Amino acid sequence: MAGVTAAAGGTGAAMSRAFHYRFSHFYFPFRSSLSSPRTSSIAASSSLLFHGNTTLSFSSFGRNHFFVSSAVSDRTNGESHRRPNVVDILEERGLLESLTSDNLRNACSDPNLPPLKVYCGFDPTAQSLHLGNLLGIIVLSWFQKCGHRAVALIGGATARVGDPSGKSLERPELDPETLVNNTLGITDTITRILGSRSRAQKFSGDYSDSLVILNNYDWWKEVLLLDFLKQVGRFARVGTMMAKESVKKRLESEQGMSYTEFTYQLLQGYDFLYLFKNEGINVQIGGSDQWGNITAGTELIRKILQAEGEGTYGLTFPLLLKGDGTKFGKSEDGAIWLSAAMLSPYKFYQYFFSVSDSDVVRFLKVLTFLDMEEIKDLEKDMKKPGYIPNTAQRKLAEEVTRFVHGEDGLAEALKATEALRPGAEAKLDWKTIEGIAEDVPSCSLAYDQVVSQV
């Protein structure tokens, strides 16, 4: 993420002109698995390609990845403009639960301050992210749209421990191969959703194409237990750790809590410290159940680095809940996956098309980027006579499907939806048919039975 200086244009005197470049990093898998998590070190850089004011650097990343860096000249960015206040935007849309400091409101919009570097963590405990994770991606996207740099942190190390937040039982242990495959899957999802600059452009003069994907296993694999206890553990107060809501609930339960899970907040706290110290990342975001883990990080930064709390911030957003008040997740029945390989765009679209009238406006606010005025107009229309049922739901389904699966995914979902309309005549390819097969009445016939009917 650090800037470098590159000469621009021509030779001789013209080359004395220099511009500062910034980098956004993406990881692209060659195959669906790696032989070992230790293949995550960068092996070699192969080439630089220049196009306009953009530089692309391709590097090999272990045996199965590309590491791609794109550099865009700062001279095209009018950063002297006052950035939109992303905290106010999130608050208006119901995406703000708590702040570690209200000073974040000024820090995110002051034109005299550099853009914030904001991260959200995703533990690879499944092959795909799910609807409950989508809010984290959306909040990162809002920061992008308002001119800040987004960082997605894959918890390759913390997933080996398991976050107890919001869980009544200890998470099952995952083997290294499963963790690597899960990491590839969710990295692909995040890159697909947040990695496209066209999806991030909202305001002029911003850094909306800046996305970094990191894996905390890259630094945790070198940490020794005795060193960690000496350098970090002695700054952690057991009383404070036990007072965290996620810990208290588990300690009061029949199953209790293992020491491994108890240390999770320290691991996540150290991640924030490491990222602040080494990458300049100064904001951590997460769901409301992550408040204790986030404040563990700000406390470690304050105690170990003697850095004033004004330089680092934590922000939480409300959890996305179903109508019955339960969380969306992967362990619940009918999980809404973000990967098309685990849930087709058609089924994804149909879920949002089917939400209740009581939920649709709330979902439009938190899951889409529609202007609030447009959402208010839809809400008013729902109360008018002559309102066509599911108009608001259709808009919700289109917006969320487009954001997660792109225009092609939305087109596939709409095509399948139209084909299943009573009396519709539509030609479907095998991929679309496969995606809807489980949701429509069907039967199996032998080949000769089908041929004999023709």
Side-chain angles (χ1 to χ4, degrees), residues 47-362:
S47 63
L48 284 174
L49 302 178
F50 295 88
H51 178 71
N53 68 331
T54 302
T55 304
L56 294 179
S57 173
F58 292 84
S59 306
S60 64
F61 190 71
R63 293 183 300 170
N64 303 291
H65 290 73
F66 271 139
F67 178 86
V68 184
S69 302
S70 64
V72 184
S73 170
D74 281 354
R75 61 178 174 161
T76 62
N77 293 282
E79 198 162 84
S80 59
H81 301 296
R82 187 171 184 86
R83 290 182 292 270
N85 194 306
V86 64
V87 175
D88 289 349
I89 291 172
L90 295 175
E91 188 170 39
E92 181 184 22
R93 303 184 77 92
L95 283 168
L96 179 64
E97 177 87 9
S98 303
L99 296 172
T100 56
S101 171
D102 212 50
N103 290 331
L104 178 59
R105 295 179 187 273
N106 179 63
C108 70
S109 59
D110 190 338
N112 298 314
L113 296 175
L116 298 168
K117 295 178 182 179
V118 186
Y119 91 93
C120 185
F122 303 92
D123 278 353
T125 52
Q127 291 181 333
S128 171
L129 297 176
H130 53 78
L131 188 55
N133 301 125
L134 186 57
L135 282 189
I137 295 176
I138 286 174
V139 173
L140 279 181
S141 188
W142 273 115
F143 273 95
Q144 281 185 314
K145 291 172 184 294
C146 294
H148 305 286
R149 288 92 181 268
V151 178
L153 179 65
I154 309 300
T158 42
R160 287 166 163 81
V161 173
D163 184 1
S165 302
K167 294 294 178 182
S168 58
L169 295 172
E170 188 163 359
R171 296 173 188 265
E173 185 177 354
L174 301 175
D175 61 80
E177 184 179 356
T178 299
L179 280 169
V180 171
N181 286 331
N182 291 352
T183 295
L184 290 173
I186 66 175
T187 297
D188 177 70
T189 298
I190 294 168
T191 301
R192 186 185 73 243
I193 297 175
L194 289 179
S196 172
R197 182 176 183 177
S198 63
R199 297 188 186 200
Q201 288 179 334
K202 174 81 172 176
F203 305 105
S204 61
D206 64 19
Y207 282 92
S208 57
D209 63 325
S210 183
L211 171 69
V212 178
I213 299 180
L214 302 174
N215 190 327
N216 63 10
Y217 186 73
D218 289 337
W219 53 86
W220 276 110
K221 65 185 178 184
E222 306 296 342
V223 176
L224 300 176
L225 175 61
L226 293 178
D227 291 339
F228 179 73
L229 292 175
K230 178 182 177 182
Q231 297 169 12
V232 178
R234 66 192 182 95
F235 291 98
R237 303 271 71 86
V238 174
T240 302
M241 293 175 67
M242 292 184 69
K244 304 290 185 185
E245 195 63 30
S246 59
V247 174
K248 285 168 63 178
K249 285 184 178 179
R250 286 295 297 279
L251 290 177
E252 293 168 0
S253 69
E254 243 180 76
Q255 293 77 16
M257 170 182 275
S258 70
Y259 175 73
T260 300
E261 288 184 295
F262 182 61
T263 63
Y264 186 93
Q265 60 181 288
L266 274 186
L267 304 186
Q268 185 170 328
Y270 180 78
D271 281 341
F272 198 0
L273 183 150
Y274 179 93
L275 293 170
F276 175 69
K277 180 180 178 181
N278 296 282
E279 302 289 345
I281 295 170
N282 47 5
V283 181
Q284 181 181 179
I285 66 168
S288 56
D289 60 347
Q290 294 298 305
W291 179 253
N293 296 334
I294 291 173
T295 54
T298 56
E299 280 298 296
L300 284 180
I301 291 170
R302 182 179 63 83
K303 291 176 179 178
I304 296 177
L305 300 181
Q306 267 77 56
E308 289 300 323
E310 304 304 327
T312 57
Y313 307 94
L315 178 152
T316 62
F317 44 83
L319 299 176
L320 187 64
L321 301 177
K322 303 175 187 177
D324 61 4
T326 59
K327 288 199 313 181
F328 287 96
K330 54 184 171 292
S331 56
E332 289 75 20
D333 292 333
I336 309 301
W337 301 105
L338 305 188
S339 168
M342 296 183 69
L343 187 74
S344 70
Y346 164 74
K347 293 177 184 175
F348 186 85
Y349 175 94
Q350 285 299 315
Y351 173 79
F352 290 101
F353 187 78
S354 303
V355 302
S356 66
D357 285 349
S358 60
D359 286 332
V360 67
V361 173
R362 175 170 61 92

